[in-house]
Amino acid sequence: MSATCTWFVYLRSFSSSNLPPPSSLRPEAQKLLERVRMLATRGLLNEALSLMYTIRKPHCNQTYATLFHECARQSCLHEGLSLHHYMVAHSPTSPRNLFVTNHLINMYCKCGYLDYAQQVFDEMPERNLISWTALISGYAQCGQADNCCRLFLGMLLQYRPNEFAFASVLSSCVNGDGHFGWQVHTLALKMCLDACVYVANALITMYSKSGVYDGKTNAWTVFKFMEYQNTVSWNSMISVFQFHGLGARAMDLFTQMHSKGISFDRTTLISLFSSFVRNNNDTNTFPRFCFQLHCLTVKTGFISEVKVATALIKAYSDLVGNAVDSYRLFSETSCHWDVVSWTSIITIFAEQEPEKALLLFSQLCQEGLTPDWYTYSIVLKACAGLVTERHASAFHSRVIKVGFEGDTVLANSLIHAYARCGSISMSKQVFDEIKDHDVISWNSMIKAYALHGKAREALQLFSQINVQPDPTTFVALLSACSHAGLIEEGIRTFNCMQKSYNIAPQVDHYACMVDLYGRAGKIHEAEKLIGEMPMEPDSVVWSALLGSCRKHGNTQLAKFAAVKLQELDPRNSLGYVQMSNIHCSTGNFDEAGALWNEMKDYRVRKEPGLSWVEIGNKVHEFASGGRRHPDREVICSKLEGLIGKLKEMGYVPETNLALYDLEEEQKEEHLYHHSEKLALMFSVMNEGNLNPHGSVVRIVKNIRICLDCHNFMKLASDFLRREIVVRDSNRFHHFNDGLCSCNDYW
């Protein structure tokens, strides 16, 4: 039983024991009390109140206490207010009765009307321990830590606090004053109440989340020395490990709990499922344990509870990363899914399969559920993964229609979605319409400019910022400078972080600076900066250096960076592929082949190059060679004709990029069938159905566009007389009249 439920029982039994026994009441009053109690215990509050109101006689204090208690239990404020007014009008002595007044305070607290509770408390001619504890508990449950602590200190002058007062004030310190919580712990030790299960449970939670005094260690110490541990105790400790990202310890603790025969509940399962995060080390143990826990959830019937099933789906998604399997579990579980559950499954698909995410949103609406602002923010995240801004614009209209237009979180999501879909102008329009910009608003717009290669605009916008920037702000700025080749501006931005804004550079900022130096050919400066980093370089830092070495032909340093990258992220194909490309560009095909064989031995798979284009409201996917499209032969035939025209304009295939030791003609043919070229040709063939701008061809590519395709797109934009927009894994390229917005610096 939780501390809150026990407090209800304690309040009622304490009050009842200090009231006159029912046998001393008049027969009619005793009969009415029994009937009211019978109705109230069955949850028939309105019937109990109606019965009392129809009998116009002074009522006993037990009847009022019973009804106030039921109003508190059912959070029926309106009924409680009416009863309070009736009591004042018809039973003048009852409002001054200590025990009735305690129930009245408790009722207002449970309904969240703390001003009323405080007023009743202040007007009491006398108070007892219950009076103080009821109001302290109310302030704690409503998150008013300052008032809770103030009242607790006032109580110490008159009464010795009980375990409920301690548990309440400690729970208010969870997100508040950890130092005060430590002092309360000291007082509980002096009064020998620290071993009480409710106080100890509150201490575990307080230490885990207050952020002081090595929280998880102190929480574990309290847990170990408890004389008696109930389910809440175990749940609290499991939650501590989950909160601190210690999933393995949470698993071990649950195993102990289960072996000792201690019952678990939905809270236990939700905490455990939430502890299975993707970046945990023991990737083999976690899926197996999750499956075992899934079986236990089915066996005990908890799978039918929405919150448990939702947490399970999230866990499988994080561990396995397969959206289809998560959806199968979602569709096969017989739950009455709520909007939170639907939003969770939409979130899983938002990045992996954005079209499916939008379909699920439609199903949510068909179920008669009303999406909240968070659901819309996730759907807009899905829109950011689509080819055009058509869907982002449609959901923008829906956001306005349902009344969320002024929501800053949704506005920030719209900025991101429009930017990712290629409409920087709409991103700026949404940004300008925000009344109160938060730091995420500024970051989103700066990122949008960076994504489109508009570094000058990003720096200009930063000069207007009217909130305290955070580390993400500077990552966006440094990224913008890096992609635009603004070396001096990037260095100044990096240096001003600590000096002007007291933000210590983190590993992401160093990665941006390594990329900044490397793109500009300053490999020595990049290498020196890595050596001066106050933390260990991560895989992003080494991949930035490796890419720079490849671009500028520094083979020796590239090998060193590739080895470091493989040590940190052995399943990542980037190090192998980049080194293979370096070897191929220098004609060392034996070394390149050896790397590909090594990848096979370690079962490392290269991410295939894919491109998408939207034609007639349908998204078409292309792989290198056109293997994924039914019109492959026609597309390739048309593409060869276009290549012939572009060769007349000066197009020369970059055959040194071919990954194999092939004849020159075969190398050219390999380059001709890159996925973005096929997507462009298919768009030209279906010119009349292009969406939404007709003359603009919009292509999305999952990896970085190669030099050959970049040159091809520039000439194609000139020959075809239309704008071609390519979004690769790093940024946007706007090709027009034979030029690219990146100025060939990417």
Side-chain angles (χ1 to χ4, degrees):
M1 187 181 291
S2 69
T4 302
C5 294
T6 308
W7 161 247
F8 264 117
V9 175
Y10 176 68
L11 172 67
R12 189 169 187 177
S13 61
F14 186 96
S15 301
S16 300
S17 64
N18 287 272
L19 284 170
S23 57
S24 66
L25 299 175
R26 296 190 308 275
E28 62 273 18
Q30 182 177 343
K31 185 177 181 181
L32 175 63
L33 174 61
E34 291 173 355
R35 293 176 65 187
V36 166
R37 279 182 175 171
M38 181 187 68
L39 292 170
T41 53
R42 294 179 179 178
L44 302 174
L45 176 61
N46 289 327
E47 288 82 349
L49 288 169
S50 297
L51 176 63
M52 193 193 76
Y53 291 149
T54 55
I55 301 176
R56 299 227 173 237
K57 293 181 179 179
H59 301 293
C60 67
N61 291 327
Q62 286 124 312
T63 303
Y64 284 115
T66 298
L67 290 169
F68 281 130
H69 178 82
E70 194 61 26
C71 288
R73 197 176 67 85
Q74 298 187 28
S75 298
C76 294
L77 176 65
H78 177 73
E79 289 79 358
L81 276 169
S82 299
L83 181 61
H84 187 186
H85 293 156
Y86 181 89
M87 181 179 70
V88 171
H90 295 85
S91 303
T93 60
S94 292
R96 301 181 66 82
N97 181 276
L98 176 62
F99 306 102
V100 174
T101 309
N102 285 345
H103 276 287
L104 183 59
I105 291 172
N106 184 61
M107 186 271 293
Y108 281 130
C109 287
K110 292 297 182 290
C111 293
Y113 269 61
L114 296 176
D115 290 342
Y116 286 13
Q118 183 70 60
Q119 182 178 342
V120 172
F121 180 86
D122 292 340
E123 294 175 354
M124 292 177 71
E126 62 171 319
R127 307 182 186 103
N128 63 5
L129 180 65
I130 296 295
S131 314
W132 289 89
T133 305
L135 191 55
I136 289 171
S137 177
Y139 278 127
Q141 291 173 28
C142 292
Q144 296 191 23
D146 291 342
N147 285 329
C148 182
C149 296
R150 172 188 56 78
L151 202 64
F152 182 80
L153 292 174
M155 178 186 187
L156 292 176
L157 300 175
Q158 301 183 40
Y159 291 97
R160 183 180 187 273
N162 60 14
E163 63 267 33
F164 300 105
F166 272 108
S168 295
V169 75
L170 286 168
S171 68
S172 73
C173 296
V174 167
N175 297 312
D177 189 350
H179 181 70
F180 185 80
W182 179 77
Q183 291 177 319
V184 173
H185 186 185
T186 304
L187 181 62
L189 280 167
K190 290 182 178 179
M191 295 184 175
C192 298
L193 285 174
D194 61 303
C196 172
V197 67
Y198 304 117
V199 177
N201 291 345
L203 280 168
I204 292 170
T205 304
M206 185 272 293
Y207 275 125
S208 71
K209 297 181 180 179
S210 63
V212 294
Y213 304 113
D214 191 12
K216 61 181 181 293
T217 301
N218 283 321
W220 178 244
T221 301
V222 172
F223 179 80
K224 283 195 303 181
F225 286 100
M226 290 177 68
E227 295 178 3
Y228 166 73
Q229 297 157 337
N230 63 7
T231 300
V232 176
S233 311
W234 290 87
N235 287 351
S236 299
M237 200 61 229
I238 289 171
S239 180
V240 169
F241 291 138
Q242 178 262 320
F243 181 78
H244 288 277
L246 302 172
R249 294 195 65 180
M251 286 166 41
D252 291 341
L253 194 62
F254 176 76
T255 303
Q256 295 177 38
M257 175 184 181
H258 196 49
S259 65
K260 291 183 177 182
I262 298 170
S263 62
F264 60 90
D265 56 18
R266 65 181 64 83
T267 304
T268 321
L269 296 170
I270 291 170
S271 293
L272 285 167
F273 287 136
S274 300
S275 69
F276 299 142
V277 290
R278 185 178 297 165
N279 61 349
N280 236 293
N281 294 327
D282 200 346
T283 54
N284 294 322
T285 304
F286 275 28
R288 185 171 68 252
F289 187 83
C290 185
F291 178 73
Q292 293 170 341
L293 202 60
H294 181 184
C295 296
L296 193 60
T297 304
V298 173
K299 183 179 179 180
T300 54
F302 282 113
I303 192 65
S304 62
E305 298 199 15
V306 173
K307 291 183 178 180
V308 175
T310 302
L312 173 61
I313 290 170
K314 287 181 179 179
Y316 272 128
S317 173
D318 282 338
L319 291 171
V320 183
N322 191 322
V324 176
D325 289 343
S326 297
Y327 180 71
R328 186 182 298 116
L329 179 60
F330 177 81
S331 58
E332 292 176 355
T333 305
S334 56
C335 283
H336 295 290
W337 299 108
D338 57 13
V339 68
V340 175
S341 309
W342 278 96
T343 302
S344 297
I345 194 68
I346 291 170
T347 303
I348 293 170
F349 280 93
E351 285 190 10
Q352 298 182 34
E353 297 182 42
E355 296 93 346
K356 179 71 173 180
L358 301 190
L359 180 62
L360 288 168
F361 178 84
S362 298
Q363 293 179 17
L364 179 157
C365 296
Q366 291 170 10
E367 291 288 327
L369 297 170
T370 302
D372 57 16
W373 66 269
Y374 184 70
T375 310
Y376 278 107
S377 73
I378 297 301
V379 173
L380 287 170
K381 181 181 179 181
C383 291
L386 299 173
V387 179
T388 72
E389 74 267 28
R390 180 168 58 90
H391 294 287
S393 181
F395 278 99
H396 189 180
S397 300
R398 291 192 67 151
V399 165
I400 295 172
K401 185 177 179 180
V402 298
F404 289 139
E405 184 178 11
D407 189 281
T408 303
V409 173
L410 289 180
N412 296 340
S413 298
L414 279 166
I415 293 170
H416 174 71
Y418 277 127
R420 293 285 296 173
C421 293
S423 183
I424 191 72
S425 59
M426 283 302 300
S427 292
K428 186 61 166 65
Q429 180 179 320
V430 174
F431 178 82
D432 290 339
E433 291 174 355
I434 298 176
K435 293 180 180 179
D436 297 311
H437 299 89
D438 59 15
V439 69
I440 299 175
S441 309
W442 292 95
N443 291 350
S444 299
M445 196 62 228
I446 292 171
K447 285 180 184 177
Y449 280 135
L451 189 63
H452 287 264
K454 296 180 177 292
R456 300 283 182 192
E457 289 84 345
L459 292 168
Q460 174 63 29
L461 185 67
F462 178 69
S463 68
Q464 303 169 17
I465 194 168
N466 57 5
V467 297
Q468 172 67 18
D470 63 9
T472 303
T473 314
F474 289 97
V475 170
L477 285 169
L478 293 171
S479 177
C481 292
S482 174
H483 284 286
L486 301 182
I487 312 300
E488 296 303 321
E489 292 84 347
I491 293 172
R492 280 199 300 271
T493 300
F494 182 77
N495 291 335
C496 82
M497 286 177 57
Q498 184 84 58
K499 293 178 181 177
S500 303
Y501 299 98
N502 199 29
I503 296 176
Q506 300 168 8
V507 68
D508 288 343
H509 303 105
Y510 282 99
C512 289
M513 288 302 295
V514 170
D515 191 53
L516 178 83
Y517 284 129
R519 286 176 187 272
K522 297 179 178 293
I523 306 297
H524 175 71
E525 287 83 347
E527 184 182 12
K528 182 182 177 184
L529 183 65
I530 292 175
E532 295 172 351
M533 287 176 61
M535 72 286 291
E536 286 296 318
D538 66 1
S539 59
V540 180
V541 173
W542 291 116
S543 64
L545 182 64
L546 179 57
S548 302
C549 291
R550 181 204 170 187
K551 181 178 180 181
H552 297 286
N554 192 327
T555 306
Q556 198 63 34
L557 186 57
K559 288 182 180 179
F560 178 75
V563 169
K564 289 292 185 181
L565 181 58
Q566 289 162 16
E567 288 175 356
L568 290 170
D569 195 359
R571 305 296 297 176
N572 191 337
S573 65
L574 181 62
Y576 296 97
V577 174
Q578 289 278 43
M579 279 308 303
S580 174
N581 291 346
I582 290 172
H583 290 312
C584 287
S585 65
T586 57
N588 195 346
F589 294 103
D590 290 339
E591 289 284 345
L595 281 170
W596 284 96
N597 290 331
E598 189 177 338
M599 285 177 65
K600 290 179 182 178
D601 293 340
Y602 288 109
R603 296 183 179 180
V604 177
R605 298 187 64 182
K606 176 185 179 294
E607 183 179 9
L610 302 175
S611 294
W612 296 267
V613 66
E614 184 173 320
I615 306 292
N617 296 338
K618 182 180 179 181
V619 176
H620 295 260
E621 181 179 273
F622 294 88
S624 182
R627 295 183 302 275
R628 294 177 181 242
H629 204 279
D631 298 333
R632 176 184 182 276
E633 291 186 8
V634 178
I635 297 169
C636 290
S637 176
K638 295 280 188 182
L639 181 58
E640 287 179 14
L642 175 61
I643 290 171
K645 297 290 185 183
L646 297 185
K647 281 187 174 181
E648 295 175 6
M649 298 174 62
Y651 169 59
V652 179
E654 296 283 345
T655 54
N656 64 315
L657 298 176
L659 302 181
Y660 306 101
D661 187 10
L662 305 171
E663 296 296 327
E664 197 71 17
E665 185 177 336
Q666 291 176 298
K667 290 181 181 180
E668 289 190 14
E669 185 177 345
H670 175 77
L671 293 171
Y672 293 165
H673 296 160
H674 279 190
S675 61
E676 54 266 60
K677 293 189 181 81
L678 298 170
L680 172 65
M681 193 66 250
F682 187 70
S683 299
V684 173
M685 290 166 53
N686 294 271
E687 181 179 357
N689 295 321
L690 282 177
N691 284 314
H693 297 298
S695 61
V696 179
V697 177
R698 297 177 182 273
I699 301 169
V700 174
K701 185 173 174 63
N702 66 328
I703 59 178
R704 183 178 180 271
I705 186 172
C706 72
L707 177 61
D708 181 75
C709 288
H710 193 270
N711 293 339
F712 177 90
M713 293 294 174
K714 286 196 298 181
L715 290 169
S717 69
D718 190 24
F719 177 77
L720 298 171
R721 295 298 176 190
R722 70 185 65 190
E723 183 180 1
I724 302 170
V725 179
V726 178
R727 185 183 89 198
D728 69 6
S729 59
N730 291 334
R731 58 170 297 160
F732 273 87
H733 297 266
H734 296 260
F735 300 96
N736 214 344
D737 297 329
L739 301 173
C740 180
S741 59
C742 74
N743 295 318
D744 297 339
Y745 191 93
W746 89 104

